Structures are given as C-alpha cells and as structure tokens.
Amino acid sequence: MSVITSTACSRALGDELRRLRETCTDLGGAHMAVRLGWHPSKVTNIEKGKARASEIDLVQFLTMCGKDIDFFEDFRRRYRYAFDEYVVQVHEDLRAVVFAESTAKMMTSYTQLSLPGLVQTSEYADALYRLGGFVAEERIPNLVRIRTDRQAILRRIGGPTCLFYIHELALRQRVGDDQIMEDQYARLLFESHAIRIVPADVVVPSAGCVLWEYDKVLPVAFSESDLGSLLVQDPGAIARTRLLFNHLEQVALDAGQSRTKLAEYVSPPREEFDGRGPRLA
C-alpha cells in the first residue's frame, strides 16, 4: 500500500469498498483490519481513497467481502488508473462523477449548447437523449431517472454551493415541444439564484466544463463529450479552468439581469417559435 494524493476516482472507489464491507460483512473498519492482519489505519486510508491498495490488498479485502474473481477483475480494471491526474471514463460509469459531485462544497459549471443536467426537467432530459441518437431507446428512462435523482443535491441541507453559467445559445436550442421548453424555462427561473446567463453575442471558446471544490482535498475539473468523460486533477488544468470562470464572471449577466433574461423565455410562446430568441407573447 502506498500513500498518495487522492483523486475523485480513488475516493469514489474507496467509498465503494467501504460500502461493500458494511453490506457484505458485519465488520467495522478496525475489526476488518484485524482479520486481514493490517494496521488499523490501512483500511481507513484505502476506503477514503488516500492510499493505493496493491492487487494483493484488493484480493484480500474483496475475498473477505465474499466477492469472486470476476468481481475482482472488474474492480481492478476500474481501480488501475484511479489515482491518475487525468481519468477518462465511459458515460455509463457515473459512480465517480456522482460521488465527486455529491461530496463537493462548491460547484461551478459552464454549458454552451445544452442546459446543465442538474437543472434539466425530466422531459427535457428525455427529449435531449432522444435527439442525440447515441443511446438505445430502452436505456433512456433509466438515464433520465439517474439524472433527476442527482438533482437531490440542490435541495440537500449542507449540499454544494452551485453556480451555473449558461450561454444564451443553450436557451435557444429547441429540445422537445413547446410545453417541454416552457416547463424547462420555468425550472430555470426557479433556480435563477444559482444561474448566470452569458449573452448570445459573447463568444466563449469553450464547450463547457465543471469545477468541483472541496474543503480538504484538491479541486477536480470535469468535462464530457459524445465519446466519454474526463476527470482532471492536474494543477495546470485546474488553473486554466479557473481562468475560464474568472472570464465568465466578467462577461455574464449579473443575478438580476439573468433572472430578467430567463423571465423573457418563460413568457408564453408565439404560435410559431423559430428558435432565434426569447419566446415572447
């Protein structure tokens, strides 16, 4: 076992080990260490993602939890790069993302052509998945449920302080029918205290990203594309992400202006909406 700087992925996988111990055994962390012949702090450090477990450590731990070789091989595959500063994941594996998101103290995000998942209505999310064409239809309901379940952190006591920078171009993207768009605009207005709109005529050379910040561990930057997701803890990349958000703070509308802009989109739609601006009556 080697002690190392934790990452979003190592903490998520460490937490997965903790949950396995709690659900598959009747052992506390200290008793698990005794059974394995480890120092008491070893279980704690591994479960918090602060230390990299060796393959032998993982075999011993997972065997104690009653897991077989197939489970071990899958976990080892995911654990292999968990401590890297850059980790690429497929979209289906959301465990590290959800854990990083739910344990953050502050979350800042920027989106350009679609709305942040944490403020999407379920109908908007469903329509967005169907428009993309990348997801099998039978999987969409479950993905929408996961997306809406993640939104609980916005209502949780002690949850992260959130700031969403949304480019006006994302507001103009028509996703679904008039009712879906009206409900989505109303949802954004409800969350307007956490939203800053970037005007349509402002050019921002970024496809979008998220910065998660914590009390006692390093920040994590996150971005996603059609091909996969990227979690980054490299200090240089974090510094560049901060520069982006510093720039957005300068060019975005303030809180009152953003709320006024969102209110324009909430207005009843014209009979024919061409998608080129606010849906004014």
Side-chain angles (χ1 to χ4, degrees), residues 9 39-40 52 58 63-64 66 78 96 106 143 161 173 178 190 212 256 273:
C9 290
H39 188 279
R52 183 194 292 272
L58 289 177
T63 299
M64 188 68 69
R78 293 186 286 122
M106 183 167 183
L143 291 173
T161 300
Q173 290 284 335
D178 284 345
F190 179 78
W212 295 305
F273 172 59

Side-chain angles (χ1 to χ4, degrees), residues 172-232:
R172 295 182 177 184
Q173 290 284 335
R174 184 184 178 90
V175 178
D177 59 25
D178 284 345
Q179 188 60 57
I180 288 175
M181 294 306 297
E182 285 299 305
D183 291 344
Q184 180 61 70
Y185 291 142
R187 169 67 188 276
L188 293 175
L189 190 61
F190 179 78
E191 304 285 357
S192 63
H193 61 282
I195 293 174
R196 300 293 180 270
I197 301 299
V198 180
D201 59 352
V202 174
V203 176
V204 180
S206 171
C209 63
V210 180
L211 181 66
W212 295 305
E213 298 181 80
Y214 308 88
D215 278 343
K216 297 181 180 180
V217 295
L218 297 175
V220 176
F222 171 74
S223 67
E224 56 185 339
S225 70
D226 296 334
L227 302 179
S229 302
L230 178 66
L231 294 100
V232 182

Side-chain angles (χ1 to χ4, degrees), residues 24-25 27 32 35-36 59-67:
C24 299
T25 79
L27 301 173
M32 182 76 146
R35 288 284 190 92
L36 292 171
V59 168
Q60 292 175 338
F61 191 103
L62 293 173
T63 299
M64 188 68 69
C65 294
K67 299 303 178 183

Side-chain angles (χ1 to χ4, degrees), residues 78-237:
R78 293 186 286 122
Y79 196 77
R80 181 179 179 184
Y81 301 107
F83 290 85
D84 290 0
E85 289 185 329
Y86 289 80
V87 177
V88 178
Q89 295 190 319
V90 296
H91 287 305
E92 288 78 6
D93 189 357
L94 291 172
R95 283 168 288 200
V97 173
V98 172
F99 188 82
E101 185 176 75
S102 62
T103 55
K105 292 299 181 182
M106 183 167 183
M107 178 192 317
T108 311
S109 80
Y110 168 64
T111 53
Q112 185 178 60
L113 293 179
S114 63
L115 302 177
L118 290 178
V119 293
Q120 292 178 7
T121 66
S122 58
E123 293 79 11
Y124 180 98
D126 182 274
L128 191 62
Y129 278 123
R130 294 181 189 282
L131 285 172
F134 300 111
V135 180
E137 185 171 350
E138 62 271 16
R139 294 184 56 240
I140 291 177
N142 186 54
L143 291 173
V144 171
R145 180 189 58 78
I146 292 172
R147 178 159 294 190
T148 53
D149 285 350
R150 287 167 58 190
Q151 296 173 5
I153 66 169
L154 300 179
R155 304 181 294 273
R156 191 183 71 206
I157 296 175
T161 300
C162 299
L163 179 58
F164 302 103
Y165 287 101
I166 302 175
H167 204 288
E168 191 174 359
L169 294 178
L171 298 179
R172 295 182 177 184
Q173 290 284 335
R174 184 184 178 90
V175 178
D177 59 25
D178 284 345
Q179 188 60 57
I180 288 175
M181 294 306 297
E182 285 299 305
D183 291 344
Q184 180 61 70
Y185 291 142
R187 169 67 188 276
L188 293 175
L189 190 61
F190 179 78
E191 304 285 357
S192 63
H193 61 282
I195 293 174
R196 300 293 180 270
I197 301 299
V198 180
D201 59 352
V202 174
V203 176
V204 180
S206 171
C209 63
V210 180
L211 181 66
W212 295 305
E213 298 181 80
Y214 308 88
D215 278 343
K216 297 181 180 180
V217 295
L218 297 175
V220 176
F222 171 74
S223 67
E224 56 185 339
S225 70
D226 296 334
L227 302 179
S229 302
L230 178 66
L231 294 100
V232 182
Q233 204 162 289
D234 169 55

